[in-house]
């Protein structure tokens, strides 16, 4: 029953996309590892499914890094399979470079988060350096947190990077057609 509800919501949503004048704009969203698991989490399933429908339609390019791939090796097999089944044409792999690591360490040095959150910082730095349109995450403690976002962006500006939009899927999926 739950599956049918999700499918119905996705179908209605996809119909609304056809009517949306902005539907043809492709955006590059960096998806951290939590987003892939969200498809299989009751709390995040609907928004995650809607986002990945946009990826499947080519409306969003799923930007990810080798860190994402590494973290997914520890995820349940169905999450890994879901990631692998995404069309390569709608995915963009970017590398964690020395510049990414340097910026990530600056977030820690500036006390935006602690050293134990370095991987989260690497995701933020990767998205910043590769100039994505948006970073999407379900991590509310270390990433999608207004105080952390201000900290990350303060460091970005200090080192000449643009402000990074960081959002949860609840903030972005389903509202773009509302006036």
């Amino acid at each position: 029953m739950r599956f049918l509800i999700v499918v119905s919501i996705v179908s209605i949503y996809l119909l609304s996309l056809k009517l949306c004048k902005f539907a043809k704009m492709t955006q590059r969203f960096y998806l951290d590892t939590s987003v892939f698991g969200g498809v299989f989490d009751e709390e995040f399933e609907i928004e995650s499914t809607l986002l990945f429908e946009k990826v499947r339609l080519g409306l969003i390019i799923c930007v990810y890094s080798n860190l994402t791939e590494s973290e997914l090796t520890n995820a349940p097999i169905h999450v890994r399979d879901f990631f692998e089944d995404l069309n390569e044409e709608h995915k963009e792999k970017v590398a964690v470079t020395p510049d990414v690591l340097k910026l990530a360490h600056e977030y820690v040095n500036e006390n935006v988060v602690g050293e134990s959150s370095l991987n989260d910082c690497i995701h933020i730095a990767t998205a910043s350096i590769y100039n994505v349109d948006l970073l999407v995450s379900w991590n509310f403690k270390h990433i999608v947190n207004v105080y952390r976002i201000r900290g990350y962006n303060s460091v970005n500006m200090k080192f000449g990077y643009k402000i990074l939009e960081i959002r949860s899927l609840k903030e972005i999926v389903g509202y773009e057609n509302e006036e």
Side-chain angles (χ1 to χ4, degrees):
M1 179 67 173
R2 185 167 161 59
F3 176 75
L4 292 175
I5 292 170
V6 170
V7 169
S8 296
I9 290 171
V10 169
S11 297
I12 291 168
Y13 180 71
L14 291 176
L15 180 59
S16 74
L17 280 179
K18 290 180 182 179
L19 302 174
C20 177
K21 63 184 174 184
F22 300 111
K24 291 183 173 49
M25 292 174 39
T26 302
Q27 296 185 58
R28 295 171 62 244
F29 287 9
Y30 184 96
L31 308 182
D32 84 347
T33 312
S34 69
V35 177
F36 299 99
V39 173
F40 303 98
D41 186 309
E42 188 174 317
E43 182 179 359
F44 306 125
E45 177 183 22
I46 292 173
E47 293 87 356
S48 298
T49 302
L50 291 173
L51 175 77
F52 283 109
E53 282 305 315
K54 285 181 153 189
V55 171
R56 283 189 183 96
L57 290 170
L59 301 173
I60 294 172
I61 300 297
C62 167
V63 180
Y64 67 99
S65 68
N66 47 316
L67 173 60
T68 309
E69 286 181 324
S70 176
E71 289 177 340
L72 282 169
T73 62
N74 297 320
I77 187 72
H78 58 277
V79 175
R80 292 192 310 258
D81 288 346
F82 179 82
F83 171 77
E84 291 297 326
D85 288 343
L86 290 174
N87 187 332
E88 292 298 322
E89 181 179 316
H90 302 135
K91 294 188 327 189
E92 177 186 341
K93 182 178 178 181
V94 295
V96 174
T97 64
D99 286 340
V100 167
L101 294 175
K102 180 180 177 189
L103 183 58
H105 282 285
E106 289 298 334
Y107 298 141
V108 173
N109 294 341
E110 295 285 334
N111 296 313
V112 177
V113 291
E115 184 72 34
S116 64
S117 299
L118 183 60
N119 279 357
D120 297 326
C121 293
I122 293 170
H123 286 299
I124 302 293
T126 303
S128 296
I129 287 177
Y130 285 95
N131 202 28
V132 299
D133 295 304
L134 194 69
L135 179 141
V136 182
S137 176
W138 286 121
N139 180 336
F140 296 105
K141 185 173 182 181
H142 300 119
I143 297 179
V144 187
N145 172 310
V146 67
Y147 302 107
R148 308 274 193 218
I149 293 168
R150 288 177 182 165
Y152 294 127
N153 283 321
S154 174
V155 173
N156 280 0
M157 290 174 25
K158 180 178 177 180
F159 290 94
Y161 297 102
K162 75 173 199 168
I163 290 176
L164 176 64
E165 288 287 330
I166 301 172
R167 300 285 182 255
S168 76
L169 279 83
K170 288 192 183 290
E171 296 175 282
I172 60 169
V173 175
Y175 298 112
E176 63 273 10
N177 295 336
E178 293 183 5
E179 296 191 25

